[in-house]
Amino acid sequence: MDPETKTIKSILLVDDDPQDVKLTLAALKQDFLADRVGVVKNGAEALDYLYCRGKFNLRTGGNPILVLLDNKMPKLSGLQVLKIMKADERLKTIPVVVLTSSRESADLDEFYKHGVNAYVVKPVGFAEFMAAVKKLGVFWAAVNEPPTTKREETEIREDITVHPEKKGAENEITIHILHLEDDPK
């Protein structure tokens, strides 16, 4: 994928395994799938990142376009992070893909019960892992259309009167144009 074809927003990668983080980053960056990939190593840091608190209090740029979430991590599990995200109006529309080594059907069922967008078991082999992450990245960051964010909008009304070549007020046409602009608040 050509890096100038489309601007991709950030992806948040939440994983405590340094080797999996390294491979995931390599797969995402290889095809220019993310301008920025935020990496955190546990569920508590993921929430700090999303809520711009703690060491992420100066983070700007809005919500990530995708969260790649491991399940079994220190402090807060991936499932706990998902539950918090889906309960919050500001975070619930962010797509969450679980990228985990767990094949336990109970885990899979719990994640879907709480609104995960996809559950992917990490392939063991290097090539398979890279291919799986690339496919995820291409779909969620380049193909999928995320929901539009709610914006406060200000109406600006503009009336234009068109005077046809014939004289007389009965021939005038008024066009009402309504512009919606982001509120600068």
Side-chain angles (χ1 to χ4, degrees):
M1 177 178 279
D2 181 357
E4 296 184 3
T5 303
K6 185 172 183 174
T7 300
I8 307 296
K9 293 184 180 179
S10 66
I11 293 173
L12 176 60
L13 172 59
V14 187
D15 199 323
D16 62 331
D17 183 326
Q19 186 62 30
D20 285 349
V21 168
K22 185 177 178 181
L23 291 174
T24 303
L25 289 173
L28 290 171
K29 289 182 179 180
Q30 189 174 17
D31 285 337
F32 307 103
L33 295 175
D35 292 328
R36 293 185 330 266
V37 178
V39 178
V40 295
K41 60 183 180 257
N42 61 58
E45 283 188 4
L47 294 176
D48 285 349
Y49 181 95
L50 292 167
Y51 287 111
C52 298
R53 62 187 186 203
K55 68 181 182 181
F56 302 102
N57 68 335
L58 299 177
R59 184 181 72 79
T60 59
N63 288 334
I65 197 165
L66 172 68
V67 174
L68 292 173
L69 184 63
D70 189 15
N71 183 22
K72 296 179 179 14
M73 296 180 293
K75 298 190 181 181
L76 284 174
S77 71
L79 184 59
Q80 290 169 309
V81 171
L82 177 70
K83 288 178 181 180
I84 292 167
M85 287 180 66
K86 296 304 179 181
D88 187 314
E89 285 296 317
R90 295 169 293 167
L91 302 177
K92 73 180 185 180
T93 59
I94 301 171
V96 178
V97 174
V98 172
L99 189 57
T100 184
S101 56
S102 174
R103 291 188 178 275
E104 297 175 33
S105 60
D107 286 345
L108 181 126
D109 293 342
E110 273 302 297
F111 273 98
Y112 276 109
K113 177 181 168 185
H114 293 286
V116 76
N117 297 87
Y119 188 99
V120 178
V121 177
K122 294 176 185 174
V124 177
F126 172 78
E128 294 85 5
F129 184 90
M130 294 293 282
V133 172
K134 280 177 151 184
K135 287 176 186 175
L136 286 172
V138 167
F139 177 77
W140 289 104
V143 176
N144 183 55
E145 287 292 328
T148 57
T149 56
K150 288 186 176 180
R151 300 181 305 185
E152 294 293 320
E153 295 176 327
T154 305
E155 289 185 8
I156 300 174
R157 294 187 181 271
E158 179 181 344
D159 293 335
I160 299 174
T161 303
V162 178
H163 301 278
E165 292 186 24
K166 284 187 168 183
K167 299 281 183 189
E170 70 276 358
N171 292 323
E172 289 183 350
I173 301 169
T174 301
I175 301 170
H176 302 283
I177 300 173
L178 176 64
H179 298 278
L180 294 177
E181 293 187 354
D182 289 350
D183 191 89
K185 291 185 215 177

